[in-house]
């Protein structure tokens, strides 16, 4: 899928560099002359948006660290100091905090795009698994970042999530005390979370490089899910995809800016403006919105160990998707039954998110159990079975066929 | 010399699937020493995360019980964790002792959870055994403790009765220093 590699810079300085390190032709073949399917729609722009969001988080994060103090006595105050005293501190912190939410919004769209168009199928299994790894690293980074302001929600989120490890038989308690560096979440926990929160984004960058490498090696999928067959099916990345990605990015940034400037605390929880108190749990603790579906799954299971297993299983199952989906057809466009089950899954995930925000009692628990069961049913039973039961619609012969006039017809047209 | 080396390569390739050569032994021995070395170098990096000496040093707390009225529960801090000290009423003690062992998820008698002759004093680590929230006192169906996070219900002996928590609230190691004070830890 890589474009022509005979790129040669004209400028003598660039020529000198290119002969010693062929970085210019590498960039050119990866991001300029690189060929992409001509039918990519706007759902394909979220990879680029995510790359920008990762950069935004890293840049704002590095400058926030210049003002933040990772001690249990000063962390809360230093965040308030950033908000009140530091020049543009309010802006940088709101960008970083809302940026995390927007990052997850984009990644969920990106994941569901992959589910709808079968982006995980042969030969993109490793590309997909690298994506699942990035998602797990993102969740760890977001969780540890949420602990740093050391408010009530920070403290109790840290307590509940680290306590998940106490569910491990025999060694659970030892592992948890090792994570804490004490007998409860305290100063050592905050300080190590800070260190890891700084490290994880750079690990994400590393896996993103592998993700893009794998993508450029096998080539983009596309909404029809059929392979690129000829030059007529592709267009160069620049200017076509670059312009489309940038337009989508600007639209996305407008939404982002709306949150930052108009409702910066909408996605946060007011209790996190109360300093952490290890002796009192807030009456109703909830995680950030992007963890709610998983939180609902955890609470739906009445057994502690099984609840934790289900929580991790609900993410882990995604890594096995390439082998759970037995259908040879990639895109849901040509899979009439899968398309319906896809939308049921979307509704179930949103439903789980809603239930995760509600107290764990009465009907909420029962519905959460049903939706949790369905979530696993979708991946472990429905997807494998559909490949055998479903009759896919006929696939077009090529990507360009439905949109471009056929060669002979075009020739006739020119003559006439 | 070159010829000797070539013979060795030939001999090694011939040996594949037959007899292990001395060279195979050297490869495996080197790799093993390397792996053991890498693993032992990792240990300090892992161990540094365990509770350090200053955390271990803060491991006991003394509490005067005289100000705690009957029916009152106080919370104190021990090893960074909340500890509940409940001065139980007669009704609370009787309720806890009337329970049949079969009804308990983690069967334990109330007598085993208090000190002999000090039945009114119940000392508990105030951390829900589910995921570590602090339960609220005098709440829930059994008028013991209720965890607001995920709905675990404990009775007046701090035993789990309902909800996702697997075990009873933990009784910390403690002893009566005098009739009216205890030493926890």
């Amino acid at each position: 899928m890589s474009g022509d590699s005979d790129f040669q810079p004209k400028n003598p300085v660039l020529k000198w560099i290119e002969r010693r390190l062929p970085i210019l032709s590498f960039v050119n073949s990866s991001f300029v002359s690189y060929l992409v399917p001509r039918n990519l729609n706007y759902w394909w722009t979220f990879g680029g948006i995510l790359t920008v969001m990762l950069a935004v988080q890293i840049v704002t994060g590095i400058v926030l660290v210049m003002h933040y103090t990772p001690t249990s006595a000063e962390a809360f105050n230093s965040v308030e100091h950033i908000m009140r005293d530091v020049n543009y501190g309010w802006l940088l912190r709101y960008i970083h905090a809302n940026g995390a939410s927007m990052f997850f919004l984009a990644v969920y769209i990106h994941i569901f795009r992959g589910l709808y168009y079968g982006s995980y199928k042969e030969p993109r299994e490793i590309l997909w698994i690298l994506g699942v790894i990035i998602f797990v690293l993102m969740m760890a980074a977001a969780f540890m970042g949420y602990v740093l302001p050391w408010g009530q929600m920070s403290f109790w989120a840290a307590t509940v999530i680290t306590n998940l490890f106490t569910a491990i038989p025999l060694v659970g308690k030892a592992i948890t005390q090792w994570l804490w560096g004490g007998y409860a979440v305290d100063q050592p926990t905050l300080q190590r979370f800070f260190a890891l929160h700084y490290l994880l984004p750079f690990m994400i960058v590393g896996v993103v490089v592998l993700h893009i490498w794998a993508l450029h090696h096998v080539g983009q999928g596309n909404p029809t899910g059929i392979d690129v067959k000829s030059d007529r099916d592709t267009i160069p990345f620049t200017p076509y995809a670059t312009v489309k990605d940038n337009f989508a990015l600007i639209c996305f940034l407008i939404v982002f800016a709306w949150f930052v400037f108009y409702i910066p605390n909408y996605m946060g929880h007011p209790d996190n403006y109360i300093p952490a108190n290890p002796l009192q749990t807030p009456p109703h603790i909830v995680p950030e919105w992007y963890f709610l579906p998983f939180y609902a799954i955890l609470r739906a299971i009445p057994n502690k160990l099984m609840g934790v297993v289900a929580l991790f299983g609900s993410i882990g199952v995604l890594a096995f998707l390439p082998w759970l989906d037995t259908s040879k057809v990639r895109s849901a466009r040509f899979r009439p039954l899968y398309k319906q089950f896809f939308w049921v899954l979307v509704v179930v995930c949103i439903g789980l998110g809603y239930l995760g925000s509600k107290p764990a009692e009465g009907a909420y628990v029962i519905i959460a159990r049903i939706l949790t069961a369905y979530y696993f049913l979708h991946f472990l039973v429905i997807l494998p079975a559909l490949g055998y039961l479903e009759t896919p619609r006929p696939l077009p012969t090529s990507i360009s066929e439905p949109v471009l006039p056929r060669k002979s017809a075009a020739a006739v047209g020119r003559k006439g | 010399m070159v010829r000797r080396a070539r013979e060795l390569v030939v001999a090694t390739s011939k040996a594949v699937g037959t007899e292990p050569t001395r060279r195979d032994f050297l490869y495996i021995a080197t790799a093993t020493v390397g792996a053991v070395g890498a693993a032992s170098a990792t240990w300090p990096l892992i161990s540094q995360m365990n509770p350090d000496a200053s955390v271990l040093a803060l491991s006991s707390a003394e509490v005067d019980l005289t100000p705690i009225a009957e029916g009152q529960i106080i919370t104190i801090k021990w090893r960074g964790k909340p500890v509940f000290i409940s001065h139980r009423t007669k009704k609370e003690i009787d309720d806890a002792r009337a329970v049949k062992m079969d009804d308990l998820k983690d069967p334990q008698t109330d007598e085993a959870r208090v000190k002999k002759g000090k039945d009114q004093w119940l000392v508990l680590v105030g951390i829900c055994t589910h995921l570590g929230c602090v339960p609220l006192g005098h709440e829930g169906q059994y008028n013991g403790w209720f965890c607001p996070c995920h709905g675990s219900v404990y009775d007046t002996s701090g035993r789990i009765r309902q909800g996702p928590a697997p075990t009873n609230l933990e009784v910390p190691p403690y002893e009566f220093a005098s009739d009216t004070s205890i030493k926890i830890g």
Side-chain angles (χ1 to χ4, degrees):
Chain A
M1 281 297 283
S2 49
D4 52 284
S5 53
D6 50 6
F7 171 81
Q8 269 301 330
K10 305 256 182 317
N11 181 303
V13 177
L14 297 184
K15 242 179 189 160
W16 186 90
I17 295 171
E18 179 68 19
R19 241 194 94 208
R20 284 150 184 86
L21 177 73
I23 192 167
L24 294 161
S25 59
F26 174 74
V27 168
N28 184 273
S29 65
S30 301
F31 303 105
V32 180
S33 62
Y34 176 70
L35 296 173
V36 293
R38 67 187 315 135
N39 59 338
L40 296 185
N41 59 28
Y42 276 104
W43 300 114
W44 260 265
T45 60
F46 282 87
I49 289 172
L50 284 162
T51 312
V52 172
M53 287 311 298
L54 179 58
V56 167
Q57 290 304 88
I58 289 178
V59 170
T60 53
I62 287 170
V63 293
L64 285 170
V65 169
M66 297 180 188
H67 306 280
Y68 171 78
T69 314
T71 65
S72 54
E74 277 306 309
F76 187 89
N77 292 337
S78 71
V79 171
E80 287 312 301
H81 161 74
I82 289 168
M83 294 301 288
R84 295 166 194 214
D85 304 336
V86 174
N87 294 338
Y88 295 101
W90 59 272
L91 178 64
L92 296 165
R93 175 166 174 263
Y94 278 153
I95 289 175
H96 198 71
N98 285 281
S101 276
M102 300 309 287
F103 205 155
F104 274 94
L105 176 67
V107 90
Y108 283 133
I109 294 172
H110 194 63
I111 290 170
F112 277 105
R113 192 289 317 275
L115 293 177
Y116 187 85
Y117 292 109
S119 304
Y120 45 83
K121 289 188 192 180
E122 192 279 329
R124 297 187 182 82
E125 298 96 327
I126 289 188
L127 172 59
W128 173 262
I129 291 169
L130 288 167
V132 175
I133 293 170
I134 294 170
F135 180 51
V136 172
L137 291 174
M138 267 178 74
M139 292 176 96
F143 159 63
M144 291 188 190
Y146 191 60
V147 173
L148 302 184
W150 211 239
Q152 271 291 66
M153 280 294 160
S154 300
F155 184 89
W156 292 101
T159 299
V160 169
I161 300 302
T162 50
N163 263 293
L164 293 178
F165 294 93
T166 59
I168 302 169
L170 303 175
V171 291
K173 197 164 181 179
I175 289 178
T176 311
Q177 291 189 349
W178 174 73
L179 286 172
W180 288 335
Y183 302 106
V185 173
D186 209 333
Q187 168 64 40
T189 326
L190 173 63
Q191 203 161 342
R192 65 191 54 180
F193 276 20
F194 176 59
L196 295 174
H197 183 70
Y198 209 124
L199 166 71
L200 282 169
F202 297 99
M203 290 175 68
I204 293 174
V205 169
V207 187
V208 165
V209 167
L210 295 178
H211 192 65
I212 295 174
W213 184 7
L215 172 73
H216 285 210
H217 180 66
V218 296
Q220 252 91 353
N222 68 82
T224 63
I226 58 176
D227 290 326
V228 167
K229 286 176 185 144
S230 71
D231 290 350
R232 283 161 62 85
D233 292 346
T234 58
I235 44 176
F237 190 82
T238 301
Y240 300 101
T242 322
V243 167
K244 194 161 183 161
D245 275 357
N246 272 303
F247 179 70
L249 174 66
I250 289 165
C251 295
F252 188 82
L253 290 180
I254 290 171
V255 178
F256 185 11
W258 180 61
F259 274 102
V260 169
F261 291 106
Y262 291 92
I263 46 171
N265 287 306
Y266 182 75
M267 288 182 286
H269 196 292
D271 275 20
N272 220 25
Y273 284 101
I274 303 170
N277 177 0
L279 299 185
Q280 196 188 17
T281 307
H284 181 49
I285 70 166
V286 284
E288 293 282 84
W289 69 267
Y290 39 81
F291 291 142
L292 288 174
F294 303 104
Y295 193 59
I297 289 174
L298 168 74
R299 296 193 306 179
I301 314 269
N303 176 292
K304 177 170 166 177
L305 178 60
M306 291 318 290
V308 175
V309 169
L311 168 69
F312 288 108
S314 65
I315 303 160
V317 74
L318 293 174
F320 298 93
L321 207 50
W323 297 278
L324 289 170
D325 186 344
T326 50
S327 174
K328 293 273 178 279
V329 176
R330 293 197 187 101
S331 174
R333 275 193 188 171
F334 307 104
R335 300 186 60 191
L337 287 176
Y338 174 69
K339 190 189 247 179
Q340 293 171 36
F341 282 110
F342 169 83
W343 287 111
V344 173
L345 181 72
V346 172
V347 172
V348 164
C349 289
I350 293 171
L352 281 169
Y354 169 76
L355 292 166
S357 73
K358 292 287 157 192
E361 57 197 29
Y364 292 131
V365 177
I366 294 161
I367 302 169
R369 281 180 194 163
I370 295 167
L371 297 190
T372 300
Y374 183 84
Y375 180 92
F376 286 101
L377 207 66
H378 176 92
F379 290 109
L380 299 176
V381 179
I382 295 173
L383 272 189
L386 268 187
Y388 299 102
L389 302 175
E390 183 181 52
T391 315
R393 292 215 203 91
L395 297 173
T397 51
S398 77
I399 292 170
S400 55
E401 186 228 35
V403 283
L404 290 185
R406 263 187 269 133
K407 263 180 189 154
S408 55
V412 170
R414 268 203 295 280
K415 268 179 198 163
Chain B
M1 192 64 194
V2 173
R3 216 176 124 211
R4 179 85 189 85
R6 195 172 295 145
E7 277 167 12
L8 194 69
V9 170
V10 171
T12 315
S13 56
K14 270 186 189 159
V16 171
T18 56
E19 279 282 290
T21 62
R22 290 178 187 198
R23 181 152 297 196
D24 288 337
F25 172 77
L26 284 175
Y27 283 148
I28 292 166
T30 312
T32 309
V33 171
V36 170
S40 25
T42 318
W43 179 245
L45 299 174
I46 293 169
S47 176
Q48 56 82 22
M49 278 175 70
N50 271 318
D52 63 30
S54 73
V55 172
L56 294 170
L58 297 168
S59 58
S60 78
E62 199 149 328
V63 188
D64 179 14
L65 301 177
T66 41
I68 310 170
E70 192 171 308
Q72 192 186 4
I73 302 172
I74 66 154
T75 306
I76 60 130
K77 205 169 164 183
W78 170 66
R79 287 179 162 186
K81 304 191 273 200
V83 169
F84 299 146
I85 302 172
S86 172
H87 189 172
R88 299 190 295 177
T89 61
K90 180 145 193 333
K91 185 179 178 301
E92 285 175 328
I93 300 169
D94 292 344
D95 285 351
R97 296 191 173 180
V99 181
K100 276 193 268 142
M101 284 300 112
D102 294 348
D103 296 345
L104 296 173
K105 194 172 180 179
D106 179 15
Q108 200 179 15
T109 62
D110 183 59
E111 286 85 347
R113 296 173 60 76
V114 295
K115 300 282 179 206
K116 205 165 189 281
K118 303 279 187 189
D119 300 330
Q120 71 273 38
W121 297 107
L122 178 66
V123 182
L124 300 169
V125 174
I127 289 184
C128 182
T129 56
H130 182 223
L131 294 176
C133 296
V134 180
L136 306 169
H138 296 306
E139 294 272 353
Q141 201 184 326
Y142 301 92
N143 201 32
W145 283 268
F146 172 74
C147 182
C149 291
H150 308 98
S152 293
V153 182
Y154 299 89
D155 65 14
T156 54
S157 190
R159 293 172 299 196
I160 180 66
R161 301 300 292 274
Q162 262 179 27
T167 58
N168 302 332
L169 288 176
E170 188 193 335
V171 177
Y174 73 100
E175 58 197 24
F176 277 85
S178 72
D179 260 7
T180 57
S181 74
I182 56 169
K183 184 166 172 259
I184 304 170

